[in-house]
Amino acid sequence: MIIKPRVIPPDITHLSMLLKRLKPNHPVTPQVEEMLSTKQAGWNGEQSLDFHLDYLKDSPIILHNLRLHDGHHFFQMDTLLLFPSFILIIEAKNMKGQISIHRKKKEMRRDLEGFQDPVEQVERQKDLLEEWLLRHTGLKVPVDFLVVFTNRRCVLEFDSSDPSIHEKVIRATSLVGAIERKKEFYKEEVLTRADMMRIGRALAEDHQELVPDYMKRFNLSYSDLQKGVRCPECGKYFMRRAKRKWICAVCSYSSYSSHEEALREYAALVSKVISNKEAQEFLKISSRHVAYRILSAYARSTVGGGKYIKYLL
């Protein structure tokens, strides 16, 4: 049973919006493309696990992409499986190439690139989750983990300092077998189905979505963005408002709702509130009455009043 389903991460959504909105040939475009590619690869790797999870004999409670606060900082987990006898954290890694994990040095390397030891990373998640469970539910539940490499085009190498490394770091094709072995190890049932549901709902309710600010991260300003409404057919920012609909000056495609995507991009990249004047500039509308009708229909609510009114997107 999936309590918290897997959804496209805000990172990917916001980076995609930014990439479309950046002015042509902007110098930061290659960096945005690289980061988006990395995020999408990770997302694809997480999604690929669902195929294997469908083959589990039992039906665990599943939560995807959890971000919890430990009282000081946030910690994130790709996938969490709740069984009657234990809870399993799955950390997905979609990497290709020659991957070397050195437990003694506490590092992972791919060619000349260095990364955090994924086992150490998930061990920390395990400790924090155990503390969270005790603090929020009063229950002591065994927590275990698996680091799963999802890309077929990777070669895994381990040092010999951790003899149990092969039970901690696996390929996706070994996932079901590895979980079944964990279930054999944790034989004593410590949770009822009601306990599992209570924990699952508490975890889902305590999840806090990360709202990325890539404008700040890439040191961008409003002037770096293209203005206007993007044509969903040809991708050009040449849609013009005419008789309550949008018409593309390049390909003549027409739409009644193309401004909605533009306002979503404004909310993600610029601000969640917008004035009539700001909407006119961003959507390239000359009439404040047209901007008023659009914002009144689209906005969730308003703040302020009179000429200082702003619309919550």
Side-chain angles (χ1 to χ4, degrees):
M1 178 181 180
I2 299 176
I3 286 185
K4 186 178 181 300
R6 200 187 303 280
V7 296
I8 298 176
D11 285 308
I12 292 177
T13 303
H14 286 216
L15 283 167
S16 299
M17 289 178 173
L18 178 57
L19 193 59
K20 289 188 294 185
R21 275 285 164 185
L22 281 173
K23 288 183 176 178
N25 304 313
H26 195 285
V28 84
T29 296
Q31 298 174 49
V32 177
E33 289 175 333
E34 182 180 3
M35 182 174 287
L36 177 57
S37 177
T38 300
K39 298 287 185 183
Q40 286 176 326
W43 166 244
N44 292 339
E46 291 177 34
Q47 283 185 299
S48 70
L49 292 179
D50 294 341
F51 170 82
H52 302 284
L53 293 175
D54 286 342
Y55 285 91
L56 289 175
K57 293 178 182 178
D58 296 333
S59 178
I61 288 176
I62 302 175
L63 298 99
H64 294 296
N65 305 117
L66 269 177
R67 183 174 180 263
L68 306 174
H69 200 270
D70 67 0
H72 302 282
H73 305 285
F74 286 98
F75 66 104
Q76 295 181 236
M77 294 167 287
D78 291 340
T79 294
L80 210 61
L81 305 183
L82 276 62
F83 295 97
S85 55
F86 74 110
I87 294 175
L88 183 66
I89 301 171
I90 297 178
E91 174 69 20
K93 299 291 184 185
N94 189 9
M95 303 173 72
K96 60 183 179 181
Q98 191 86 11
I99 311 297
S100 301
I101 298 177
H102 300 276
R103 295 301 338 278
K104 192 172 183 179
K105 295 180 181 178
K106 295 190 180 300
E107 69 174 8
M108 175 172 65
R109 299 197 67 82
R110 180 179 60 188
D111 300 325
L112 298 178
E113 292 182 277
F115 303 88
Q116 181 185 4
D117 174 6
V119 176
E120 182 182 43
Q121 174 190 349
V122 191
E123 283 176 339
R124 180 61 177 157
Q125 293 175 3
K126 171 183 177 296
D127 292 341
L128 292 172
L129 180 59
E130 287 174 340
E131 293 173 8
W132 186 96
L133 289 167
L134 189 59
R135 187 166 62 250
H136 287 79
T137 68
L139 297 172
K140 287 187 177 181
V141 186
V143 178
D144 209 332
F145 64 86
L146 287 169
V147 178
V148 185
F149 280 81
T150 58
N151 197 309
R152 296 177 182 178
R153 293 183 294 172
C154 80
V155 178
L156 294 174
E157 287 186 345
F158 310 113
D159 64 8
S160 57
S161 63
D162 185 352
S164 63
I165 188 68
H166 295 283
E167 288 298 316
K168 299 174 181 176
V169 182
I170 62 171
R171 294 180 178 277
T173 50
S174 304
L175 180 59
V176 173
I179 292 175
E180 293 302 325
R181 288 191 295 274
K182 298 280 187 191
K183 287 160 60 179
E184 284 296 314
F185 180 80
Y186 296 100
K187 288 183 177 292
E188 182 184 356
E189 294 191 0
V190 295
L191 298 173
T192 64
R193 190 70 181 179
D195 290 331
M196 293 164 62
M197 291 296 296
R198 180 163 64 93
I199 293 173
R201 291 195 182 102
L203 287 164
E205 288 173 4
D206 206 46
H207 166 77
Q208 295 185 50
E209 197 71 73
L210 172 66
V211 180
D213 187 351
Y214 286 112
M215 294 288 286
K216 182 177 180 180
R217 182 160 185 172
F218 290 105
N219 196 28
L220 297 168
S221 67
Y222 182 67
S223 61
D224 292 299
L225 305 178
Q226 297 186 77
K227 312 304 186 295
V229 175
R230 184 174 184 267
C231 175
E233 185 69 18
C234 70
K236 302 296 184 182
Y237 287 89
F238 282 103
M239 297 204 87
R240 300 292 179 259
R241 188 75 173 177
K243 295 182 180 179
R244 295 184 179 269
K245 67 179 180 179
W246 297 92
I247 301 175
C248 180
V250 176
C251 69
S252 299
Y253 177 85
S254 64
S255 165
Y256 288 96
S257 59
S258 291
H259 61 276
E260 294 180 0
E261 178 64 18
L263 291 173
R264 281 192 290 269
E265 291 169 351
Y266 188 93
L269 302 174
V270 183
S271 173
K272 293 190 181 299
V273 294
I274 189 171
S275 68
N276 187 298
K277 186 177 180 181
E278 289 165 341
Q280 289 180 62
E281 179 187 3
F282 191 71
L283 301 176
K284 290 188 175 180
I285 298 172
S286 59
S287 169
R288 64 184 180 88
H289 300 291
V290 172
Y292 169 77
R293 286 197 298 269
I294 288 174
L295 292 174
S296 297
Y298 181 83
R300 297 178 182 178
S301 60
T302 60
V303 292
K307 64 179 181 179
Y308 300 108
I309 191 169
K310 289 206 171 191
Y311 300 82
L312 180 63
L313 301 176

